Amino acid sequence: MRVYYECAPCFLRQAREALDLAIDDEKLKFKIMKKIINLLDSKFKEGAISNEIGTTIHRLIKEMTGNNDPYAYEKKRCNKIAQNFLPIVRKFLKDNENLEDFVKVAITGNIIDFGALGLDFNHEKVVIESLHSPLEVNHTNILEDDLKKSKKVLYLADNTGEIIFDRLLIKKLLDYDVNITVAVKDKPILNDACIEDALEAGLNKIADIVTTGTDSVGVIYHEFSNEFKEIFDNSQIIIAKGLGNYEGLTEAPLDNKSVFCLLNAKCTAIAKDIGVKVGSNVMIKIN
């Protein structure tokens, strides 16, 4: 996805939050923020790819602060929040067992995202509302048809916390007799899931776990490791969670794959790009 004008203040908000999590040194924060402003001055232009700019900013913060995982505490907090909501989610699924409802659960997990929504918001209210909201774009039937004709599914995970909800959808996908590979980040970036987070969520018990070989925000095709690029290229269906993966996949070579993005349109830029209102739950086939 290419940048919209409102992406700029979002980059700065995320940078401020990451800096506050990474260090206490106010002078260093000021120095780094000046560099980020200069970076935006040179890279923020029409046609720039949004998640590539975000990746550059967060890598700069990690490098200059010496903190390789500023969101480490928040990631653990995400997992605890998600675990607390599992009883509500399981109760919802008890009366709703079709694929669409498992998709809704996975998208609801996407709300547990400090990067897009900030560090303070009412999780319980938005989670319960999300579970009972319609999908504004709903291509679940297309996914179901494709699953019946395919064997290899690549699931691009997003944040910690929400991967606990993803596990429920992934188990449901196994009903279609497919082999599932879940991809996480190779190194920490924002609150995205890494190998240890996938293991904590038990994803290794139901799917193969790999990394993209990099620490990008979302996916950046030309940064994939050779091993992951082969997995990506040979996948028949790709199911991707979250805003960053949507931003990256819309710029990636997708060839003849079926690619589905599951997300909550938490920002105006994504909402505009898809053509929905902010806050909409979306299950969209982009290829």
Side-chain angles (χ1 to χ4, degrees), residues 1-2 4 246-247 250 268-276 284:
M1 188 184 86
R2 305 306 167 104
Y4 288 78
Y246 172 84
E247 292 170 30
T250 51
T268 56
I270 291 282
K272 281 181 184 177
D273 207 68
I274 296 174
V276 296
I284 185 169

Side-chain angles (χ1 to χ4, degrees), residues 2 24 41 58 108 126 152 159 167 241 254 262 283:
R2 305 306 167 104
D24 296 322
D41 185 51
H58 284 283
T108 296
V126 294
K152 292 183 179 179
N159 304 318
R167 190 176 191 273
K241 290 295 299 302
L254 301 177
L262 283 61
M283 196 291 193

Side-chain angles (χ1 to χ4, degrees), residues 75 78-80 82-83 109 112 159-166:
K75 285 158 69 176
C78 283
N79 281 340
K80 289 179 181 177
Q83 291 285 359
I112 306 170
N159 304 318
T160 56
E162 76 173 272
I163 58 173
I164 291 170
F165 287 17
D166 290 335

Side-chain angles (χ1 to χ4, degrees), residues 34-46:
K34 282 182 65 177
K35 279 190 173 289
I36 290 169
I37 291 170
N38 289 335
L39 185 154
L40 286 174
D41 185 51
S42 64
K43 292 187 178 294
F44 188 79
K45 57 188 70 175
E46 285 190 59

Side-chain angles (χ1 to χ4, degrees), residues 124-257:
E124 183 170 358
K125 180 175 181 289
V126 294
V127 166
I128 293 172
E129 285 179 355
S130 176
L131 283 174
H132 294 91
S133 296
L135 298 175
E136 293 302 320
V137 179
N138 185 3
H139 293 162
T140 306
N141 288 340
I142 302 174
L143 171 60
E144 196 155 25
D145 289 340
D146 287 349
L147 286 167
K148 293 172 183 176
K149 299 179 288 186
S150 304
K151 287 296 179 185
K152 292 183 179 179
V153 175
L154 174 61
Y155 196 101
L156 300 177
D158 189 21
N159 304 318
T160 56
E162 76 173 272
I163 58 173
I164 291 170
F165 287 17
D166 290 335
R167 190 176 191 273
L168 299 170
L169 172 57
I170 292 167
K171 285 185 72 174
K172 180 65 175 178
L173 295 174
L174 292 174
D175 290 348
Y176 296 87
D177 193 28
V178 292
N179 296 315
I180 302 174
T181 299
V182 176
V184 295
K185 299 299 162 56
D186 190 58
K187 293 176 287 187
I189 188 84
L190 277 167
N191 59 332
D192 287 9
C194 296
I195 285 284
E196 58 269 27
D197 306 303
L199 296 178
E200 181 182 338
L203 295 183
N204 57 306
K205 297 177 182 178
I206 56 175
D208 296 324
I209 310 298
V210 299
T211 80
T212 60
T214 184
D215 64 345
S216 60
V217 175
V219 290
I220 300 176
Y221 184 82
H222 62 80
E223 290 196 3
F224 290 165
S225 65
N226 290 335
E227 293 80 5
F228 184 67
K229 191 172 286 186
E230 183 176 354
I231 292 170
F232 185 93
D233 290 343
N234 290 325
S235 296
Q236 296 167 299
I237 296 176
I238 295 175
I239 298 173
K241 290 295 299 302
L243 310 190
N245 282 326
Y246 172 84
E247 292 170 30
L249 285 170
T250 51
E251 301 297 329
L254 301 177
D255 300 323
N256 297 317
K257 298 172 181 42

Side-chain angles (χ1 to χ4, degrees), residues 64-124:
M64 291 192 69
T65 63
N67 186 334
N68 189 51
D69 193 4
Y71 286 78
Y73 171 76
E74 300 302 333
K75 285 158 69 176
K76 292 178 181 177
R77 185 180 165 204
C78 283
N79 281 340
K80 289 179 181 177
I81 291 169
Q83 291 285 359
N84 289 341
F85 284 107
L86 273 180
I88 295 173
V89 169
R90 289 198 171 111
K91 182 179 178 181
F92 171 79
L93 288 175
K94 188 175 180 181
D95 300 320
N96 305 274
E97 295 186 351
N98 56 50
L99 182 60
E100 179 178 327
D101 292 306
F102 282 85
V103 165
K104 281 186 178 182
V105 165
I107 293 173
T108 296
N110 185 238
I111 292 171
I112 306 170
D113 180 358
F114 296 107
L117 288 175
L119 296 173
D120 298 303
F121 67 101
N122 188 330
H123 294 87
E124 183 170 358

